[in-house]
Amino acid sequence: FISLAPMPTNFSSLYLLDSSSFSCNMYYAMNILSFFCCIASVAAAAFVSPRSPHTSCRPPTASSTTFPPTKLHQSASPFSLNGPSEELLDLFNTQVTNEMAASQLYLSASIWFDQRDWEGFASYMLSESDEERGHALQFVDFANKRNIPLSLQTIPAPNSDWNSPEDVWVDVLKGEQDNTKNLLHVAEAASRCQDYAVLAFLNPFHMEQVESEAKVSNIISKVRDEDKTPGLLRQLDHELGSEKTV
């Protein structure tokens, strides 16, 4: 604290002070002024609340927006918040096999129809076989872009022992239904680990399955109407053959 010299109480005596006394009193006055300025600054600071960090106009630092490292982040492919799970990787790999198996089933059906002179049905099945194989290659292409490990598996032999065209179409419908379920399993696994790129990739396949199942179901209904309308099966064979050659 500042120690102050006693100030004269008789103001008229101020005029009698010599120059040295006047300088001394000015020094004391300046010290008093500095003291009260310090007190005022401390008091003002005590009543000002600290600024909330959320009100800062500065942009957030990099550390505040960095996600924890994951397998997928480490592979420089940040399309998933949590990284692909082992379940997703296994199902994705298996789906390549499922698509190739679907292709084999359609190819077997094409051979069966062609050997019995159902050329339209044979052409339709052959085209569907090529399409299913194309689906498998799409999965392979996507996996390569995402660095998803793939290992080709054994493709089971398709059925080829049918007694009638209806049996073939019913088997084909079952194959489509099974493939729909398999795709849904892949989507569920991708959803659980928030892999939105895989979900977006699968969307066209889901919609195509809706169309495929509806179409095959409609064909089966017409095939079963052959007993009521003789010649309908041959007409349907011609329509499907023309459809695939356009």
Side-chain angles (χ1 to χ4, degrees):
F1 293 98
I2 303 171
S3 177
L4 302 177
M7 296 292 292
T9 57
N10 186 357
F11 292 101
S12 62
S13 63
L14 291 175
Y15 295 97
L16 301 177
L17 296 176
D18 56 17
S19 58
S20 60
S21 298
F22 180 79
S23 299
C24 181
N25 287 328
M26 286 297 293
Y27 172 77
Y28 290 145
M30 292 299 294
N31 281 333
I32 292 172
L33 181 61
S34 298
F35 175 77
F36 282 108
C37 286
C38 291
I39 294 297
S41 298
V42 172
F47 286 101
V48 175
S49 60
R51 176 180 294 181
S52 170
H54 299 292
T55 62
S56 173
C57 294
R58 293 178 298 175
T61 60
S63 60
S64 64
T65 56
T66 301
F67 293 105
T70 63
K71 291 181 181 179
L72 201 54
H73 280 79
Q74 292 170 355
S75 64
S77 301
F79 298 103
S80 170
L81 293 181
N82 300 318
S85 63
E86 291 299 323
E87 178 191 25
L88 175 57
L89 295 178
D90 290 341
L91 288 173
F92 198 95
N93 190 96
T94 302
Q95 189 57 30
V96 176
T97 306
N98 293 336
E99 298 292 343
M100 293 300 291
S103 175
Q104 290 287 84
L105 176 61
Y106 274 110
L107 181 59
S108 180
S110 176
I111 294 172
W112 190 92
F113 278 120
D114 191 61
Q115 290 176 343
R116 290 159 178 79
D117 296 328
W118 296 97
E119 295 180 359
F121 290 154
S123 176
Y124 178 90
M125 295 295 185
L126 183 61
S127 178
E128 290 297 309
S129 175
D130 291 340
E131 187 172 313
E132 296 294 345
R133 183 176 183 276
H135 292 169
L137 295 180
Q138 285 181 264
F139 273 82
V140 171
D141 181 62
F142 181 85
N144 288 337
K145 291 177 180 177
R146 281 287 307 277
N147 294 321
I148 295 176
L150 289 179
S151 178
L152 296 182
Q153 303 166 346
T154 302
I155 302 173
N159 186 22
S160 61
D161 186 19
W162 296 293
N163 296 318
S164 67
E166 181 180 342
D167 289 343
V168 180
W169 285 106
V170 168
D171 217 12
V172 165
L173 177 60
K174 183 181 181 301
E176 291 289 355
Q177 292 170 339
D178 289 342
N179 206 27
T180 296
K181 293 177 182 177
N182 293 331
L183 287 167
L184 290 175
H185 290 324
V186 180
E188 288 172 352
S191 181
R192 277 191 287 271
C193 63
Q194 296 178 292
D195 196 316
Y196 301 110
V198 170
L199 289 173
F201 169 74
L202 292 175
N203 278 338
F205 292 95
H206 294 316
M207 296 308 301
E208 189 167 330
Q209 286 304 119
V210 173
E211 296 293 333
S212 296
E213 287 191 32
K215 183 165 187 174
V216 174
S217 295
N218 183 263
I219 291 173
I220 291 174
S221 296
K222 292 181 178 180
V223 170
R224 288 172 175 169
D225 284 342
E226 170 67 13
D227 293 336
K228 301 177 182 178
T229 310
L232 182 60
L233 200 58
R234 284 295 175 184
Q235 181 181 346
L236 181 60
D237 175 69
H238 175 74
E239 289 176 358
L240 290 179
S242 300
E243 176 182 310
K244 291 302 180 180
T245 57
V246 173

